[in-house]
């Protein structure tokens, strides 16, 4: 199996036959239709989880040293809460953007239904 962007072979290979293509989870997320496997999705989920856990710790540490123009600082609880809320909202927005075909960059040849293309007769 080759990736579209790089043309290089995918080290995980094609999804195995009968890898849950009939399950409700697979139908909802279209895992096998998109050329993925459950194992690959679980690994991606772990990578995302640990990245977000790292950001939830690191971001408040970085921002806690900043003061506003009045000399006030936010405490760690406020910064962790704000970081978590922004991360959650942006995760939902990026997930939605990933499934919307019309959100591709103008001139992108990977989607034939891009509204940025002018239809000439």
């Amino acid at each position: 199996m080759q990736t579209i962007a790089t043309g290089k072979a995918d080290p995980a290979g094609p999804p195995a036959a009968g890898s849950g293509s009939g399950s409700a989870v697979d139908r909802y997320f279209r895992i096998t239709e998109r050329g993925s496997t459950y194992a690959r999705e679980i690994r991606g989920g772990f990578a995302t989880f640990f990245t977000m856990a790292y950001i939830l710790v690191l971001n408040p540490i970085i921002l806690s040293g900043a003061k506003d123009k009045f000399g006030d600082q936010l405490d760690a609880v406020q910064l962790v809460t704000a970081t978590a809320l922004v991360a959650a909202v942006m995760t939902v927005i990026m997930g939605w953007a990933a499934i919307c075909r019309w959100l591709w960059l103008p001139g992108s040849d990977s989607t034939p239904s891009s509204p940025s293309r002018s239809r000439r007769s």
Side-chain angles (χ1 to χ4, degrees):
M1 179 176 179
Q2 293 186 343
T3 60
I4 295 171
T6 62
K8 295 180 181 176
D10 187 358
S19 61
S21 63
S23 73
V25 172
D26 187 60
R27 284 192 306 270
Y28 183 77
F29 291 108
R30 297 183 287 180
I31 294 171
T32 54
E33 178 184 330
R34 294 173 192 241
S36 188
T37 63
Y38 285 110
R40 191 179 299 154
E41 296 299 323
I42 296 296
R43 283 192 309 268
F46 275 121
T48 302
F49 172 79
F50 286 116
T51 301
M52 294 309 299
Y54 172 75
I55 293 299
L56 283 175
V57 171
L58 184 66
N59 200 37
I61 292 171
I62 293 170
L63 294 177
S64 65
K67 295 181 181 182
D68 64 8
K69 68 179 182 177
F70 302 111
D72 296 327
Q73 291 178 315
L74 293 174
D75 66 349
V77 174
Q78 292 171 324
L79 291 169
V80 169
T81 303
T83 300
L85 289 174
V86 169
V89 169
M90 293 309 297
T91 299
V92 170
I93 290 172
M94 288 303 297
W96 177 72
I99 62 171
C100 293
R101 294 180 62 100
W102 53 269
L103 290 174
W104 287 87
L105 295 172
S108 174
D109 290 337
S110 57
T111 60
S113 61
S114 176
S116 65
R117 294 183 177 183
S118 61
R119 298 181 190 247
R120 297 181 184 169
S121 14

